[in-house]
């Protein structure tokens, strides 16, 4: 049962990742954001390596200086032991001098190599920073284009949706007002018709009476 649940979980996770990948592929800005995050991580790693290389270079320089100083010290001590005819001390000092001189040579070689490696790392680090900056600018450009595209899409959608609606609304309102005016006028005409007829009839009677006199 546990294996079944594990397989189900892995299957669901795989499907989810596939959906996310498909969604990301359809959105170049999302893809660029992903690349930016990865590039920033790698650039940060390189920055730490550069700092570490600086510390190594300085450490080689310090150890080289110590070896040089000890070689000079043993050389001086060998001279003193030689003058004092202390053979054992002289041989020890000479052997130590040789050891420190060999160490100094190795340290100097390692320091020079560290300097060359550091210069190479710094060049690559600068290139990575420029590349990262270019990617940030590219993202800004894409975001600007996306904003413009969305704005145009929304404006076109609004214009298409409302292209005929204002005129149709105005037409409907105009027809409504005409119908209303007609109804009002018709009602007024009906209401005043009787009184107008009565007035005409009265005027005609008055005229007839005046004529008869």
């Amino acid at each position: 049962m546990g294996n079944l649940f594990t397989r189900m979980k892995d299957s669901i996770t795989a499907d989810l990742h596939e959906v996310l990948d498909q969604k990301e592929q359809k959105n170049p800005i999302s893809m660029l954001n992903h690349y930016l995050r990865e590039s920033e991580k790698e650039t940060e790693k390189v920055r730490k390596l550069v700092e570490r290389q600086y510390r190594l270079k300085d450490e080689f320089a310090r150890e080289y200086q110590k070896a040089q100083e000890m070689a000079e010290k043993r050389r001086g001590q060998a001279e003193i032991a030689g003058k004092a005819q202390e053979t054992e001390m002289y041989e020890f000092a000479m052997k130590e001098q040789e050891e420190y001189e060999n160490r100094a040579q190795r340290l100097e070689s390692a320091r020079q190599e560290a300097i060359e490696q550091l210069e190479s790392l710094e060049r690559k680090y600068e290139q990575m920073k420029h590349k990262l900056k270019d990617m940030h600018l590219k993202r800004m450009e894409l975001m600007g284009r996306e904003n413009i595209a969305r704005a145009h899409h929304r404006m076109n959608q609004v214009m298409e949706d409302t292209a005929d609606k204002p005129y149709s609304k105005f037409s409907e309102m105009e027809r409504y007002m005409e119908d209303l005016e007609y109804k009002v006028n018709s009602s007024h005409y009906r209401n005043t018709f009787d009184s107008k007829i009565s007035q005409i009839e009265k005027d005609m009677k008055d005229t007839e009476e005046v004529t008869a006199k």
Side-chain angles (χ1 to χ4, degrees), residues 8-153:
M8 288 177 64
K9 184 183 73 172
D10 292 342
S11 177
I12 293 172
T13 302
D15 292 342
L16 178 60
H17 287 168
E18 183 178 358
V19 169
L20 291 175
D21 290 342
Q22 290 177 355
K23 182 179 179 182
E24 195 169 77
Q25 289 174 1
K26 295 178 181 179
N27 191 337
I29 294 180
S30 295
M31 293 177 63
L32 193 54
N33 285 337
H34 173 72
Y35 294 144
L36 273 172
R37 287 193 297 270
E38 294 301 316
S39 297
E40 286 171 350
K41 290 178 183 178
E42 293 303 317
T43 303
E44 180 62 17
K45 290 179 183 178
V46 173
R47 184 189 67 79
K48 291 180 179 179
L49 289 173
V50 170
E51 290 181 352
R52 183 183 179 189
Q53 195 68 13
Y54 265 109
R55 292 194 296 269
L56 284 172
K57 177 181 71 70
D58 294 341
E59 187 66 22
F60 282 134
R62 284 192 294 271
E63 291 298 323
Y64 169 78
Q65 187 64 33
K66 289 179 182 179
Q68 283 283 77
E69 290 174 356
M70 287 303 297
E72 289 296 324
K73 182 179 180 180
R74 290 291 187 261
R75 181 183 293 110
Q77 291 172 338
E79 290 178 0
I80 295 172
K83 290 178 181 178
Q85 295 183 350
E86 294 286 345
T87 304
E88 185 176 348
M89 294 180 67
Y90 173 79
E91 290 177 353
F92 175 80
M94 289 298 293
K95 185 177 181 181
E96 284 278 293
Q97 177 189 345
E98 184 180 0
E99 289 289 338
Y100 282 117
E101 285 179 346
N102 289 336
R103 183 181 301 172
Q105 289 178 0
R106 291 198 306 271
L107 287 167
E108 177 60 16
S109 176
R111 189 179 73 88
Q112 291 296 331
E113 185 178 357
I115 291 173
E116 293 175 3
Q117 292 172 344
L118 178 60
E119 291 174 351
S120 176
L121 279 175
E122 286 181 325
R123 285 194 297 270
K124 290 182 179 179
Y125 179 55
E126 289 300 319
Q127 291 174 359
M128 291 182 74
K129 288 197 297 183
H130 284 301
K131 187 67 176 178
L132 196 60
K133 186 65 176 178
D134 290 341
M135 291 177 73
H136 277 288
L137 293 175
K138 185 64 176 177
R139 180 176 66 174
M140 292 172 62
E141 292 172 355
L142 286 176
M143 289 174 65
R145 290 169 60 185
E146 183 186 44
N147 288 338
I148 293 298
R150 289 187 181 216
H152 280 301
H153 174 71

